[in-house]
Amino acid sequence: MKNILSLFIIVATLMSCETSKMNKIDKDQFLGQWRLNRSGITDKIQFEIKKKDNGELYGEIIQLNDNKYVQLFMEEGDQFVKNIKRSSNYEFTISERRIAAPLFSAYGQNTTDQFKATFDGEHKILLGKNGADGVYHKINLK
């Protein structure tokens, strides 16, 4: 009787778990134009994620915000998202270029920031735990 009750509790727990977020997400879902929402100087930068011939994804800036440091150290057409790698079926690691990356490089510092990324629907990507490090919103909805 004790084993049956334990089995019932395990089955009930597994059935109540939300598995929709654990399905494998296609990397092509990243393709398109995005706007970064984050507190800080990179807020509202717009970029387009594209695919290279070898299948790697990257993002180019299509519109800067009005922050003076962004205007000084970045230009439209610069690569903003350097790399997107799969961590699991539904999680990714995104590497973003830091503002003034050449300056950081000259002093031997890291030129990219890495964030855990998960999709929240098709048009929103959460960066970090629950979007604490920012959110990408898709801007070219078709």
Side-chain angles (χ1 to χ4, degrees):
M1 183 67 173
K2 191 175 187 180
N3 290 339
I4 293 174
L5 182 60
S6 297
L7 182 62
F8 177 74
I9 291 172
I10 291 171
V11 170
T13 303
L14 290 175
M15 290 180 70
S16 68
C17 292
E18 182 183 350
T19 59
S20 64
K21 289 188 176 182
M22 294 184 183
N23 294 333
K24 188 166 186 171
I25 304 239
D26 187 8
K27 272 181 91 170
D28 286 347
Q29 195 167 331
F30 281 100
L31 298 175
Q33 295 179 354
W34 299 86
R35 181 184 66 243
L36 174 60
N37 287 349
R38 169 189 295 151
S39 59
I41 60 177
T42 57
D43 186 40
K44 296 193 179 22
I45 288 179
Q46 294 181 18
F47 55 96
E48 182 172 7
I49 296 180
K50 302 175 183 180
K51 186 186 286 190
K52 294 180 184 178
D53 291 337
N54 63 4
E56 290 182 22
L57 300 178
Y58 69 100
E60 289 183 356
I61 296 173
I62 56 175
Q63 185 175 351
L64 299 172
N65 64 16
D66 58 356
N67 182 280
K68 66 182 178 181
Y69 296 111
V70 170
Q71 296 286 328
L72 181 63
F73 290 110
M74 297 181 125
E75 294 180 6
E76 291 179 7
D78 283 351
Q79 196 172 26
F80 180 66
V81 175
K82 303 292 268 179
N83 200 350
I84 299 174
K85 291 186 179 181
R86 181 180 297 280
S87 303
S88 69
N89 282 345
Y90 61 96
E91 287 184 330
F92 298 86
T93 301
I94 292 182
S95 299
E96 286 181 3
R97 178 179 169 242
R98 296 174 93 184
I99 294 177
L103 182 62
F104 283 111
S105 178
Y107 287 97
Q109 301 296 315
N110 193 359
T111 60
T112 60
D113 289 321
Q114 291 192 347
F115 302 97
K116 181 182 95 172
T118 54
F119 277 89
D120 184 15
E122 291 183 29
H123 308 295
K124 186 176 181 182
I125 301 171
L126 304 176
L127 301 176
K129 186 173 178 140
N130 298 322
D133 292 322
V135 177
Y136 293 166
H137 290 280
K138 200 160 205 172
I139 56 175
N140 64 340
L141 304 177
K142 292 180 182 177

